[in-house]
Amino acid sequence: MKSRYVFVFPTEAINKPLTYHLVKDFDLKVNIFNAYINSGEEGNLALEIEGSPGQIQAGLEFAKSLGVECSTLDKRVKLEHDRCINCGACVAVCYSDALKMDANTMELNFDKDKCTVCELCTTACPLQLFKINFVE
Ligand code: SF4
Ligand code: SF4
């Protein structure tokens, strides 16, 4: 299985080789698609992890033991879909194809499993219907 997460590193964990251990010790495939890390501050990493449910759970427990806060990416991504007017402005900026117009209904489809928390849609939407909290 594949799942997307946001990891928040406290200052003391920023220099620890977490992704190395996830790959080597827990046999996980890790794909980092967004990062915000400043020396001396909290760091944020958005990543996709692939492995069995047991491997992923063990890897997350290891990350938490280092003080890293782990949450599923969908908790950081919100869209007020019921207010959407299907104008398509957000689709034009979403390079990951998470946002697409349905060719039959001409309504917006949002596939959160493709979202990279780039936040471009937050300013593209004229109604400000997105709340993307990658860096809180
Ligand atoms: S944050 Fe918005 S624009 Fe960026 S990938 Fe996710 S849905 Fe697309
Ligand atoms: S930009 Fe806003 S209103 Fe337009 S389709 Fe996207 S979410 Fe809907």
Side-chain angles (χ1 to χ4, degrees):
M1 67 180 276
K2 284 183 189 175
S3 301
R4 291 190 165 205
Y5 296 91
V6 172
F7 284 6
V8 181
F9 292 68
T11 308
E12 56 274 16
I14 282 177
N15 294 323
K16 295 193 174 144
L18 174 58
T19 51
Y20 166 81
H21 286 293
L22 292 179
V23 173
K24 186 167 176 296
D25 301 343
F26 299 95
D27 202 22
L28 293 166
K29 290 183 187 160
V30 177
N31 175 28
I32 296 169
F33 48 83
N34 205 341
Y36 177 83
I37 299 176
N38 272 349
S39 180
E41 291 181 18
E42 206 172 67
N44 290 44
L45 214 55
L47 65 173
E48 184 173 80
I49 301 177
E50 182 175 357
S52 71
Q55 287 170 315
I56 292 176
Q57 190 56 37
L60 292 176
E61 291 302 325
F62 173 72
K64 288 176 189 168
S65 75
L66 299 179
V68 176
E69 183 191 307
C70 311
S71 59
T72 52
L73 183 134
D74 63 349
K75 292 199 173 126
R76 304 284 187 131
V77 175
K78 305 263 186 260
L79 165 63
E80 281 186 73
H81 218 140
D82 53 343
R83 291 183 54 214
C84 176
I85 56 174
N86 300 303
C87 69
C90 57
V91 176
V93 299
C94 183
Y95 61 84
S96 72
D97 284 343
L99 296 165
K100 282 191 170 173
M101 300 306 291
D102 184 299
N104 295 317
T105 64
M106 292 310 289
E107 290 183 351
L108 180 69
N109 279 335
F110 186 12
D111 183 353
K112 287 184 180 177
D113 289 338
K114 292 184 177 173
C115 178
T116 60
V117 286
C118 70
E119 302 183 2
L120 292 175
C121 53
T122 59
T123 49
C125 176
L127 302 180
Q128 300 181 324
L129 299 184
F130 291 93
K131 293 226 174 358
I132 312 287
N133 295 314
F134 173 44
V135 179
E136 289 184 311

